Amino acid sequence: MSNALDDLKSRCLSCNACKLCATRTNVVFGEGPADAKIMFVGEGPGADEDEQGRPFVGKSGRLLEQYMAAAGLSRYENVYIANMVKCRPPENRDPSEEETDACLPWLRGQFRCLRPGLIVCVGRISAQKLISPDFRITKQHGEFFEKNGTLMTATLHPAALLRDPRKKGEALLDFMKIRKMAEEKGLV
Ligand code: URA
């Protein structure tokens, strides 16, 4: 299956389906073990990610890794990380509907290759696109949903936690629930 993922990645690296291709430095396809059963989906690359071609490698990424570690999860061992859009929206603006729609086939391809048992939406943008358009991240983070036969949840975006550290306890609880569910479902 990793060959299919490698093939998807090599095609994605030359994508020009939306105008973000004109301003990107690197395509940030996503990364993690090809046998990961848990997939985290963020919003889109920031400046550090665009520079390095890797998801969640800046300040937000370091915080995300700490929460994963608290739940016994690791992007190097059992979690695959991707984003809704694979190219950086300039000035860190939210990706537009047009851009997320244009990029969705790559994410769907990643889902097909990995067949994750749990998808964790990181922040509002991916939760609204993948779980429900009226998803309320402040109220519904940490809840679990089944969609098209796949278990899904959402957690607060680490950038939001950096802006408002009072929310960090809530995020930790999300990760404790993710751990428990992952154990129950045999995903770790
Ligand atoms: N924020 C995201 O949503 N994704 C990244 O890869 C980095 C920051």
Side-chain angles (χ1 to χ4, degrees), residues 90-104:
E91 276 103 50
N92 295 341
R93 64 165 168 76
D94 288 351
S96 69
E97 182 96 23
E98 202 181 328
E99 290 155 359
T100 47
D101 285 349
C103 213
L104 207 51

Side-chain angles (χ1 to χ4, degrees), residues 28 41-50 54-61 64 75 81-85 92 122-123 125-126 157-159:
V28 181
V41 182
E43 181 178 317
D48 295 309
E49 291 76 21
D50 175 63
R54 300 180 57 212
F56 281 105
V57 289
K59 251 184 157 181
S60 287
L64 184 64
R75 64 192 297 173
I81 307 184
N83 279 303
M84 288 307 305
V85 293
N92 295 341
V122 183
I125 300 272
S126 60
H157 197 289

